[in-house]
C-alpha cells in the first residue's frame, strides 16, 4: 500500500501537502491527505501544460487531463478549498488513445490516462451478456504492459455457463493466453466466494478495474465490499451491450487491504504509446521468437522463414492472438502500412 508523506514549503499563507488523487470528475480532483480529503482545482500553469503548438500552427491538447486517480501531487489548502500545485512523477499508468470526436478528427493524437501509479490492471470480461471479446482483452493487455502494470484477466458471469461450457471456456482461454503468461481468474459477482482467489492476489496492491460496459465491474466491487453499494446496470436486450453506470474514476479502500479504482466502461481501447513496429514485443508469447526470423525486419505477415508464424503450428502462439496482432498492425499509420506492403512485394 502506498503511504502519502507530507512535504512542506511556504506558499504565501498556505502549505504544500503531498496527497493522492482518489477521484477525478469534470475538472475537480479529490485529494486524500492525512486521513482527510480536499476537493481541488488545477493551477493555471498545469492547465496550460495540457496544450502544445502543432506544425500547422494550431494549438492542441497533449493529453485529455493532466491528472488521474492514483496520481501523487502537491496541493495547497485554504479552508475547505484546495488547488493542485504540482504533479509528482508517476511510476506506472494505464492510458489509452482518446477517441476522436468528429470536430477534431484531424487533430494530433491525445493521451487519456485512466489511472496512475497502479500495480495491477484487472481486465473484467464477461463470458456472456455481453459476449467475450478477445480483441478488446488483447488491447488492454498491451496497454497494461506498456504502462508498467501487471495485467490480470477476470472472467465474470461464469455462473451463466453449464459445467461443460465452463470446462470448454477454461480450455480455450488457457490455450489462447497461457503461452503469454496471463494470470486468469474465473468468478461470478453473484457468488462472492468465487472472488476469494482474486482478493488474495490483489491484497496490498492498487488495482484499476477496466472493461466494457455491462461486464460487471461495479457488481464485482459490490461483491468484494457490499458497503460500497455501487449502482449497476443491465445489458440491453436489443444491442447486447452494457449501459454506462459509472461516470467517473474513483479509488476505494477495500476491507481486505487493497485499493481499487473503478472506471466507466470503455467502448473503445485505442493503443497509445506503442509504435506499430514494436507491437510484437507486447505480445509476450512472441518474444522468444523475435530476432530468430530469416529477415531481421520481419513483420510476421507473409515473409518466408518467420519464426513467429512457425510457433503457431507448435502451439507457442495461438492463431487468435496472431490474428489480433495482424489487425492491430493494420491500424498503424499509413506510412508504416505502405512500408510493410512494399517489404512483402
Amino acid at each position: 500500500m502506498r503511504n502519502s508523506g507530507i512535504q512542506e514549503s511556504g506558499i504565501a499563507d498556505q502549505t504544500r501537502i503531498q496527497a493522492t488523487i482518489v477521484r477525478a470528475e469534470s475538472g475537480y480532483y479529490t485529494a486524500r491527505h492525512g486521513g482527510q480529503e480536499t476537493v481541488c482545482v488545477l493551477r493555471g500553469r498545469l492547465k496550460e501544460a495540457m496544450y502544445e503548438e502543432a506544425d500547422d500552427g494550431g494549438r492542441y491538447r497533449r493529453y485529455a487531463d493532466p491528472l488521474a486517480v492514483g496520481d501523487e501531487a502537491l496541493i495547497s489548502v485554504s479552508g475547505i478549498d484546495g488547488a493542485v500545485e504540482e504533479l509528482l512523477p508517476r511510476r506506472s499508468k494505464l492510458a489509452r488513445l482518446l477517441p476522436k470526436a468528429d470536430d477534431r478528427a484531424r487533430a494530433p493524437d491525445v493521451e487519456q490516462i485512466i489511472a496512475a501509479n497502479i500495480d495491477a490492471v484487472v481486465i473484467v470480461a464477461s463470458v456472456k451478456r455481453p459476449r467475450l471479446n478477445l480483441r478488446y482483452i488483447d488491447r488492454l493487455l498491451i496497454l497494461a504492459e506498456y504502462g508498467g502494470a501487471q495485467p490480470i484477466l477476470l472472467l465474470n458471469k461464469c455462473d451463466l455457463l453449464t459445467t461443460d461450457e465452463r470446462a470448454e471456456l477454461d480450455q480455450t482461454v488457457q490455450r489462447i493466453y497461457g503461452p503469454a503468461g496471463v494470470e486468469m481468474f474465473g468468478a461470478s459477482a453473484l457468488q462472492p466466494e468465487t472472488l476469494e482467489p482474486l482478493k488474495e492476489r490483489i491484497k496490498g496492491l492498487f488495482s484499476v478495474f477496466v472493461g466494457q460496459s455491462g461486464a460487471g465491474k461495479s457488481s464485482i466491487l459490490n461483491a468484494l465490499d457490499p458497503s460500497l453499494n455501487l449502482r449497476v446496470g443491465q445489458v440491453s436486450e436489443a444491442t447486447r451491450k452494457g449501459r454506462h453506470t459509472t461516470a467517473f474514476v474513483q479509488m476505494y479502500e477495500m476491507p481486505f487491504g487493497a485499493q481499487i479504482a473503478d472506471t466507466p466502461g470503455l467502448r473503445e481501447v485505442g493503443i497509445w504509446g506503442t509504435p506499430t513496429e514494436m507491437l510484437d514485443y507486447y505480445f509476450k508469447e512472441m518474444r522468444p521468437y523475435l530476432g530468430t526470423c530469416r529477415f531481421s525486419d520481419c513483420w510476421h505477415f507473409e515473409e518466408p522463414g518467420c519464426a513467429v508464424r512457425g510457433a503457431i503450428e507448435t502451439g507457442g502462439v495461438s492463431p487468435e492472438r496472431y490474428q489480433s496482432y495482424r489487425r492491430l498492425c493494420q491500424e498503424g499509420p499509413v506510412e508504416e502500412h505502405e512500408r510493410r506492403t512494399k517489404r512483402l512485394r
Side-chain angles (χ1 to χ4, degrees):
M1 305 289 285
R2 302 189 321 281
N3 294 318
S4 295
I6 295 181
Q7 300 178 1
E8 297 185 358
S9 62
I11 302 181
D13 297 326
Q14 301 172 339
T15 299
R16 280 193 173 190
I17 303 170
Q18 184 171 329
T20 302
I21 305 302
V22 297
R23 175 168 169 159
E25 182 181 14
S26 303
Y28 292 91
Y29 308 91
T30 302
R32 182 177 296 156
H33 54 96
Q36 49 188 318
E37 296 183 352
T38 302
V39 177
C40 301
V41 296
L42 289 178
R43 286 296 189 200
R45 59 180 175 275
L46 290 179
K47 291 181 181 179
E48 187 63 26
M50 294 172 60
Y51 298 90
E52 66 180 357
E53 289 190 8
D55 294 339
D56 62 3
R59 189 167 180 265
Y60 299 108
R61 281 196 176 201
R62 298 170 58 195
Y63 34 74
D65 199 319
L67 286 180
V69 166
D71 267 326
E72 298 289 335
L74 297 181
I75 68 170
S76 59
V77 181
S78 178
I80 62 172
D81 299 319
V84 179
E85 303 285 348
E86 180 181 348
L87 171 65
L88 299 181
R90 298 180 174 113
R91 59 181 175 83
S92 63
K93 64 181 179 181
L94 177 68
R96 68 168 176 170
L97 177 67
L98 181 68
K100 288 189 175 182
D102 292 341
D103 61 349
R104 63 179 190 86
R106 298 176 60 86
D109 292 341
V110 176
E111 179 185 19
Q112 181 182 31
I113 301 175
I114 298 168
N117 298 317
I118 49 178
D119 300 300
V121 176
V122 179
I123 303 168
V124 181
S126 67
V127 298
K128 281 187 177 182
R129 305 177 193 169
R131 64 178 178 80
L132 191 63
N133 188 332
L134 300 180
R135 301 283 183 260
Y136 186 93
I137 293 170
D138 290 341
R139 290 169 178 270
L140 285 170
L141 288 172
I142 292 171
L143 294 180
E145 291 282 348
Y146 175 76
Q150 177 66 40
I152 297 172
L153 177 57
L154 176 62
L155 300 174
N156 188 28
K157 305 187 182 181
C158 288
D159 58 299
L160 299 178
L161 303 177
T162 65
T163 301
D164 289 344
E165 288 174 332
R166 176 64 188 274
E168 182 180 356
L169 173 68
D170 291 344
Q171 184 178 25
T172 299
V173 296
Q174 185 59 43
R175 176 181 59 79
I176 295 173
Y177 293 110
V182 178
E183 287 188 77
M184 294 176 282
F185 296 89
S188 169
L190 301 181
Q191 300 169 336
E193 68 277 5
T194 63
L195 293 167
E196 289 301 321
L198 177 68
K199 288 171 63 174
E200 287 300 316
R201 175 63 181 86
I202 64 175
K203 184 181 295 184
L205 304 180
F206 174 35
S207 305
V208 57
F209 278 43
V210 292
Q212 293 176 293
S213 296
K217 297 181 302 299
S218 296
S219 295
I220 290 288
L221 264 66
N222 283 337
L224 292 173
D225 182 5
S227 69
L228 293 178
N229 196 29
L230 301 177
R231 189 164 65 94
V232 299
Q234 300 296 321
V235 174
S236 168
E237 290 297 326
T239 65
R240 297 293 179 183
K241 296 180 179 180
R243 300 184 179 95
H244 290 286
T245 53
T246 302
F248 49 84
V249 182
Q250 180 161 344
M251 179 194 297
Y252 298 101
E253 299 283 346
M254 307 305 287
F256 56 92
Q259 294 173 315
I260 294 177
D262 188 21
T263 64
L266 303 179
R267 292 195 184 279
E268 298 181 41
V269 184
I271 299 298
W272 171 263
T274 307
T276 306
E277 63 267 23
M278 290 187 63
L279 275 176
D280 52 3
Y281 177 81
Y282 289 96
F283 282 75
K284 293 178 65 175
E285 66 271 44
M286 294 185 182
R287 291 181 188 176
Y289 310 102
L290 301 184
T292 65
C293 299
R294 181 182 301 179
F295 297 102
S296 60
D297 59 347
C298 184
W299 282 92
H300 323 303
F301 278 20
E302 280 77 36
E303 300 95 330
C306 174
V308 170
R309 292 208 320 278
I312 298 174
E313 299 178 3
T314 62
V317 176
S318 73
E320 292 88 349
R321 289 273 286 170
Y322 173 71
Q323 289 301 324
S324 183
Y325 161 77
R326 288 192 60 145
R327 291 189 183 187
L328 285 171
C329 284
Q330 298 292 353
E331 295 178 8
V334 173
E335 60 270 19
E336 291 184 356
H337 176 66
E338 292 178 344
R339 180 158 51 91
R340 287 196 301 276
T341 304
K342 183 178 180 180
R343 171 71 180 79
L344 297 174
R345 289 172 182 165

